[in-house]
Coordinates of all heavy atoms in Angstrom, one line a residue:
L817 N -0.7 -6.9 10.9 CA -0.6 -5.8 10.1 C 0.0 -6.2 8.7 O 0.8 -7.0 8.6 CB 0.3 -4.7 10.7 CG 0.4 -3.3 10.1 CD1 -1.0 -2.7 10.1 CD2 1.4 -2.4 10.9
C818 N -0.6 -5.7 7.6 CA -0.1 -6.0 6.3 C -0.1 -4.8 5.4 O -0.5 -3.7 5.8 CB -1.0 -7.0 5.7 SG -2.7 -6.5 5.4
I819 N 0.5 -4.9 4.2 CA 0.7 -3.8 3.3 C -0.7 -3.2 2.9 O -0.8 -2.0 2.8 CB 1.5 -4.2 2.1 CG1 3.0 -4.5 2.5 CG2 1.5 -3.2 1.0 CD1 3.8 -4.9 1.5
S820 N -1.6 -4.0 2.5 CA -2.9 -3.5 2.1 C -3.6 -2.6 3.2 O -4.4 -1.7 2.9 CB -3.8 -4.7 1.7 OG -4.1 -5.5 2.7
D821 N -3.3 -2.9 4.4 CA -3.8 -2.1 5.5 C -3.4 -0.7 5.5 O -4.0 0.2 5.9 CB -3.5 -2.8 6.9 CG -4.2 -4.0 7.2 OD1 -5.2 -4.4 6.6 OD2 -3.7 -4.7 8.1
V822 N -2.1 -0.4 5.1 CA -1.5 0.8 5.1 C -1.6 1.5 3.9 O -1.0 2.7 3.8 CB -0.1 0.8 5.8 CG1 -0.1 0.2 7.1 CG2 0.9 0.1 4.9
L823 N -2.2 1.1 2.8 CA -2.1 1.7 1.5 C -2.8 3.2 1.6 O -2.4 4.1 0.9 CB -2.8 0.9 0.4 CG -1.9 -0.3 0.0 CD1 -2.6 -1.0 -1.1 CD2 -0.5 0.1 -0.4
P824 N -4.0 3.2 2.4 CA -4.5 4.6 2.4 C -3.7 5.6 3.2 O -3.6 6.7 2.8 CB -5.8 4.4 3.3 CG -6.1 3.0 3.1 CD -4.9 2.2 2.9
I825 N -2.9 5.1 4.1 CA -2.0 5.9 4.9 C -0.8 6.4 4.1 O -0.4 7.6 3.9 CB -1.5 5.3 6.2 CG1 -2.7 5.0 7.1 CG2 -0.4 6.2 6.9 CD1 -2.3 4.0 8.2
L826 N -0.3 5.4 3.3 CA 0.8 5.6 2.4 C 0.5 6.7 1.3 O 1.2 7.7 1.0 CB 1.4 4.4 1.7 CG 2.6 4.6 0.8 CD1 3.7 5.1 1.5 CD2 2.8 3.2 0.2
A827 N -0.8 6.6 0.7 CA -1.2 7.5 -0.2 C -1.3 8.9 0.4 O -0.8 9.9 -0.3 CB -2.6 7.1 -0.8
K828 N -1.9 9.0 1.6 CA -1.9 10.4 2.2 C -0.6 10.9 2.5 O -0.4 12.2 2.3 CB -2.7 10.3 3.4 CG -4.2 10.1 3.2 CD -5.1 9.9 4.3 CE -6.6 9.6 3.8 NZ -7.4 9.4 4.7
M829 N 0.4 10.1 2.9 CA 1.7 10.6 3.0 C 2.4 11.2 1.7 O 3.1 12.1 1.8 CB 2.7 9.5 3.6 CG 2.5 9.1 5.0 SD 3.5 7.8 5.5 CE 3.3 7.8 7.2
L830 N 2.0 10.6 0.7 CA 2.6 10.9 -0.6 C 1.9 12.1 -1.3 O 2.4 12.9 -2.1 CB 2.6 9.7 -1.6 CG 3.5 8.6 -1.0 CD1 3.5 7.4 -2.0 CD2 5.0 9.0 -0.9
H831 N 0.5 12.1 -1.2 CA -0.3 13.1 -1.9 C -1.2 14.0 -1.1 O -2.1 14.7 -1.6 CB -1.2 12.4 -2.9 CG -0.5 12.2 -4.2 ND1 -1.2 11.9 -5.3 CD2 0.8 12.1 -4.6 CE1 -0.3 11.8 -6.4 NE2 0.8 11.9 -5.9
G832 N -1.1 13.9 0.3 CA -1.9 14.8 1.1 C -3.2 14.0 1.6 O -3.5 12.9 1.1
H833 N -3.8 14.7 2.5 CA -5.0 14.1 3.3 C -6.2 13.7 2.4 O -7.0 12.9 2.8 CB -5.4 15.0 4.3 CG -4.4 15.0 5.5 ND1 -4.2 14.0 6.3 CD2 -3.5 16.0 5.8 CE1 -3.3 14.3 7.2 NE2 -2.9 15.5 6.9
K834 N -6.4 14.3 1.2 CA -7.5 13.9 0.3 C -7.2 12.8 -0.7 O -8.0 12.6 -1.6 CB -7.9 15.2 -0.4 CG -8.5 16.3 0.5 CD -9.1 17.4 -0.2 CE -9.7 18.4 0.9 NZ -10.3 19.5 0.2
A835 N -6.0 12.3 -0.6 CA -5.6 11.3 -1.6 C -6.4 10.0 -1.4 O -6.7 9.6 -0.3 CB -4.1 10.9 -1.4
E836 N -6.7 9.5 -2.5 CA -7.4 8.1 -2.6 C -6.4 7.1 -2.3 O -5.2 7.1 -2.6 CB -8.1 7.9 -3.9 CG -9.2 8.8 -4.2 CD -10.4 8.6 -3.3 OE1 -10.7 7.4 -3.0 OE2 -11.0 9.6 -2.8
P837 N -6.7 5.9 -1.6 CA -5.8 4.8 -1.4 C -5.2 4.3 -2.7 O -5.8 4.3 -3.7 CB -6.7 3.7 -0.7 CG -7.9 4.4 -0.3 CD -8.1 5.6 -1.2
L838 N -4.0 3.8 -2.5 CA -3.3 3.2 -3.7 C -3.9 1.8 -3.8 O -4.5 1.2 -3.0 CB -1.8 3.0 -3.3 CG -0.9 4.3 -3.4 CD1 0.3 4.3 -2.5 CD2 -0.6 4.6 -4.9
H839 N -3.7 1.2 -5.1 CA -4.2 -0.1 -5.4 C -3.1 -1.0 -5.7 O -2.1 -0.7 -6.4 CB -5.1 0.0 -6.8 CG -6.2 1.0 -6.5 ND1 -7.5 0.7 -6.0 CD2 -6.4 2.3 -6.9 CE1 -8.3 1.7 -6.0 NE2 -7.6 2.7 -6.5
L840 N -3.2 -2.2 -5.2 CA -2.3 -3.3 -5.5 C -2.3 -3.7 -6.9 O -3.5 -3.9 -7.4 CB -2.5 -4.4 -4.5 CG -2.3 -4.3 -3.0 CD1 -2.8 -5.4 -2.3 CD2 -0.8 -4.1 -2.7
C841 N -1.3 -4.0 -7.6 CA -1.2 -4.4 -8.9 C -0.9 -5.9 -9.0 O -1.2 -6.6 -9.9 CB -0.3 -3.6 -9.8 SG -0.6 -1.9 -10.0
H842 N -0.3 -6.4 -8.0 CA 0.0 -7.8 -7.8 C 0.4 -8.1 -6.4 O 0.3 -7.1 -5.5 CB 1.2 -8.2 -8.7 CG 2.5 -7.4 -8.4 ND1 3.5 -8.0 -7.7 CD2 2.9 -6.2 -8.5 CE1 4.5 -7.2 -7.6 NE2 4.1 -6.0 -8.0
R843 N 0.9 -9.2 -6.1 CA 1.2 -9.6 -4.7 C 2.5 -10.3 -4.7 O 2.9 -10.9 -5.7 CB 0.1 -10.3 -3.9 CG -0.2 -11.6 -4.5 CD -1.3 -12.4 -3.6 NE -1.1 -13.8 -3.7 CZ -0.2 -14.5 -3.0 NH1 0.6 -13.9 -2.1 NH2 -0.1 -15.8 -3.0
L844 N 3.1 -10.3 -3.6 CA 4.4 -11.1 -3.3 C 4.1 -11.9 -2.1 O 3.3 -11.4 -1.2 CB 5.5 -10.2 -3.1 CG 6.1 -9.6 -4.4 CD1 7.2 -8.5 -4.0 CD2 6.5 -10.4 -5.5
D845 N 4.6 -13.1 -2.0 CA 4.4 -13.9 -0.7 C 5.1 -13.2 0.4 O 6.0 -12.4 0.2 CB 5.0 -15.3 -1.0 CG 4.4 -16.2 -2.0 OD1 3.1 -15.9 -2.2 OD2 4.9 -17.0 -2.5
K846 N 4.7 -13.6 1.6 CA 5.2 -13.0 2.8 C 6.7 -13.2 2.9 O 7.4 -12.3 3.3 CB 4.5 -13.7 4.0 CG 5.0 -13.2 5.3 CD 4.3 -14.0 6.4 CE 4.8 -13.7 7.7 NZ 4.2 -14.4 8.8
E847 N 7.3 -14.3 2.5 CA 8.6 -14.5 2.6 C 9.4 -13.9 1.4 O 10.6 -14.2 1.3 CB 8.9 -16.0 2.7 CG 8.4 -16.6 4.0 CD 6.9 -17.0 4.0 OE1 6.4 -16.9 2.8 OE2 6.4 -17.2 5.1
T848 N 8.8 -13.3 0.5 CA 9.5 -12.8 -0.7 C 9.8 -11.3 -0.5 O 9.0 -10.5 0.0 CB 8.6 -12.9 -2.0 OG1 8.4 -14.4 -2.1 CG2 9.3 -12.4 -3.1
T849 N 11.0 -10.9 -0.8 CA 11.4 -9.5 -0.7 C 11.5 -9.1 -2.2 O 12.0 -9.8 -3.0 CB 12.8 -9.4 0.0 OG1 12.6 -9.8 1.3 CG2 13.3 -7.9 -0.1
G850 N 11.1 -7.9 -2.6 CA 11.2 -7.4 -3.9 C 10.4 -6.3 -4.1 O 9.7 -5.7 -3.3
V851 N 10.4 -5.8 -5.3 CA 9.5 -4.6 -5.8 C 8.1 -5.0 -5.9 O 7.8 -6.1 -6.4 CB 10.1 -3.9 -7.0 CG1 11.5 -3.4 -6.8 CG2 10.0 -4.8 -8.2

């Protein structure tokens, strides 16, 4: 499981069932914590 897998679900949680998936603007390594 990864972040890109859950972007459609996260978008729906934030904007309702008709929300389009969020788009990644950059990436962070698996071992990196941050914004």
Side-chain angles (χ1 to χ4, degrees):
L817 190 59
C818 62
I819 289 177
S820 63
D821 289 343
V822 300
L823 291 181
I825 300 166
L826 180 59
K828 288 177 181 176
M829 285 180 171
L830 298 175
H831 270 201
H833 289 289
K834 294 186 180 183
E836 293 293 318
L838 287 155
H839 302 275
L840 293 167
C841 295
H842 63 104
R843 64 176 208 83
L844 292 173
D845 290 337
K846 178 180 174 181
E847 294 80 14
T848 302
T849 300
V851 296

